[in-house]
DNA sequence: CCAGCCGCGGTTAACGATAACAAATCGGGA
DNA sequence: TCCCGATTTGTTATCGTTAACCGCGGCTGG
């Protein structure tokens, strides 16, 4: 497949180009001072040898890895993917590379990932959510690099925050339903608190219902978060069987909401005629489903771009104190609710 | 946020524990020979100091980074995400970490990513698809590490292959439709060849139609790949207006197929009564949609797990020659087609 | 009773780049 | 012509870990 002899180093390139290794090093940096003739000769020599720059050695000596560590709950989620895209886009121009890991909504796994990542000496670390194991939190506090918690507004943040209130967002949706005259409203979500954002949404639902003096016990919990379309369908089945007079359902995500909608279609229950359904996240399916699903857009991409900008600001000393950037989710009323 | 003094090294831990740095190094490896008492003392000292292992230095000296580089076309795609999950799961037990990048279906971006990744000296590199820029291909050939092309069966592979024939898979679907008596079949896909797998699927469609002596010109191309639900809907609108006698539609993915289905619902066209619709990929939505969508499962997770196993086999010298692992996609007939 | 081996730990140098400092070269104005 | 500052290039030492090798003591088996 290729020659097995070990790959050439800057010293080899330097020898061939007739310069010192330091000059080769300079030729590979865009800013430094090397004459055009020398640089051309060096790049030619490097090309002839098939030289590939060694970032590991560079990182060790310069104490700069150009890594930004990022942990998300799931790699298979369009919203978190959008945040990563926003991050990536904002960091790429500076040559920063994302070290991405997913936790499967498991704090122990998050702890493992954070430890593994910190060993790579990233320039900053971005985590999803504000709840961590005590050891994970300690590691982040002591990491000596910028820490950004996202997708949440932790009461006691570690460092920077770029997020929104999941509870408030759902509260806004409940308020809207109540203002339209509904009272028997249910919530569909997962059955554990693994997904802390999902749990916060339920908390927001319960608080809002109570604030209106309404029954906040129509809670359907099904499966381990993140709950899927299938589980949304299952939950809807259970709901119409146990609480058939329910007027509206708020689902923890658009995916479960679509599952719920599909179950209604299978059972011949008209949406929104017989029942309203709303989701969370403004996934593409929410806009395409028939009827289109009412949902909440938390601007996941903006979370990423704002986080990226924040990281650059901190690295360039434009931001010294911990930032708290609050995103305002948008309630999108569509055909599935009235 | 934390003390700014520079972080402790193995030398500091060694001093505190009263041993040599080499012994500290050994204490951090699971296999090496250190007495339990010494190891405990070292780990205690490390903990007291807040020592964090430096993988960068370790990588440089040992010439082992424990990185596996992986490029996928899109991070926002459940199928590629599944492949990454399979990979990750298979590599984690060995302490291998994935360096993930996405190309946005752009070969120039893939080249940029590959170059950036190779500088990090990964133990192996996994790429999606078999088409690359000449320079990217050259870099991979000369990288001196295992190269695995996935999700495709390149005619002239660089190294190892774990994939399937996109063309053959679609051919199987066309054969099924024809066997059920349909003749006027259309294909919905993107309008460029950026998505080489999508292009291969269209090739398979055309070849199969011609093999049956049928009209293979009902091709709707809409938008830049990967085409979304919205674009699937748009394509379907165009199809029913220009070729209203079409009996069945094969879409390049389940997402566009669902978009097409939703457009039929909006227009009051019965599926499958008036028109059959099929997709590709067996995304969750295909099974949940009403009617459920006929599709093809290419076993994306298995592509990941098989690739991971292959990498371990090569690293352990159990596999010397380039492997060609062929996955057999499964045709899933559902309600959307008869 | 001693050769040989094993378990455990130390010493030295090196991985490949670059920070920090020093020196050589060049061009232009006094 | 000469000197000064800017530009270009070289020298030395180092980032933090570990490969390779060596030494010491204790135990085992012939």
């Amino acid at each position: 497949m290729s020659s097995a002899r070990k790959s050439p180093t800057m010293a080899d390139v330097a020898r061939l180009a007739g310069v010192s290794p330091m000059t080769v090093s300079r030729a590979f940096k865009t800013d430094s001072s090397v004459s055009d003739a020398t640089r051309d000769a060096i790049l030619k020599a490097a090309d002839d040898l098939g030289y590939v720059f060694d970032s590991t050695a560079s990182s060790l000596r310069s104490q700069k890895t150009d890594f930004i560590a990022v942990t998300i709950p799931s790699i298979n989620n369009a919203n978190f993917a959008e945040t990563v895209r926003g991050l990536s886009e904002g960091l790429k121009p500076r040559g920063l590379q994302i070290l991405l890991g997913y936790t499967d909504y498991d704090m122990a796994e998050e702890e493992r990932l954070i430890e593994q990542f910190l060993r790579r000496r990233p320039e900053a670390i971005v985590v999803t959510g504000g709840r961590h194991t005590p050891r994970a939190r300690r590691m982040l506090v002591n990491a000596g690099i910028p820490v950004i918690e996202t997708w949440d507004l932790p009461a006691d943040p570690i460092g920077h925050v770029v997020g929104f209130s999941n509870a408030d967002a759902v509260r806004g949706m409940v308020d809207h339903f109540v203002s339209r005259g509904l009272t028997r409203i249910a919530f569909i979500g997962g059955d554990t608190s693994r997904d802390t954002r999902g749990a916060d949404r339920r908390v927001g639902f319960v608080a809002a219902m109570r604030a209106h003096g309404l029954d906040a016990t129509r809670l359907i919990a099904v499966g381990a978060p993140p709950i899927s379309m299938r589980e949304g369908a299952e939950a809807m089945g259970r709901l119409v069987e146990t609480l058939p007079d329910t007027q509206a359902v708020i689902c923890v995500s658009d995916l479960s909401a679509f599952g719920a909608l599909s179950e209604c279609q299978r059972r011949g229950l008209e949406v929104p005629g017989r029942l309203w359904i709303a989701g969370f996240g403004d996934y593409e399916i929410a806009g395409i489903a028939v009827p289109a699903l009412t949902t909440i857009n938390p601007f996941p991409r903006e979370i990423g771009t704002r986080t990226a900008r924040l990281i650059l600001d901190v690295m360039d000393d434009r931001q010294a104190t911990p930032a708290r950037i609050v995103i305002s989710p948008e309630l999108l009323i569509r055909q599935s609710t009235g």
Side-chain angles (χ1 to χ4, degrees), chain A residues 70-75 80 100-114 117 126-128 131-132 194 197:
Chain A
V70 179
T71 73
I72 54 177
S74 166
I75 195 182
F80 296 130
L100 183 67
Y102 59 90
T103 67
D104 270 327
Y105 295 87
D106 178 356
M107 281 181 15
E109 180 62 14
E110 187 197 50
E111 175 184 316
R112 210 191 59 79
L113 260 183
I114 288 171
F117 280 169
V126 179
V127 298
T128 305
R131 303 228 331 120
H132 319 281
R194 273 162 51 103
R197 281 154 302 288

Side-chain angles (χ1 to χ4, degrees), chain A residues 117-185:
Chain A
F117 280 169
L118 290 180
R119 292 176 163 212
R120 300 280 185 185
R121 297 288 189 271
E123 315 285 343
I125 181 163
V126 179
V127 298
T128 305
R131 303 228 331 120
H132 319 281
T133 66
R135 201 170 86 89
R137 192 183 169 90
R138 208 175 325 123
M139 289 192 291
L140 291 173
V141 167
N142 295 326
I145 55 174
V147 175
I148 303 98
E149 291 169 290
T150 60
W151 272 86
D152 220 335
L153 294 178
D156 181 19
I158 295 171
H160 307 278
V161 174
V162 180
F164 63 93
S165 166
N166 284 275
D168 285 355
V170 170
R171 201 186 315 259
M173 187 178 274
V174 171
D175 290 350
H176 171 73
F177 284 8
V178 172
S179 77
R180 298 289 303 276
L182 301 201
T183 54
R184 297 188 299 280
I185 309 171

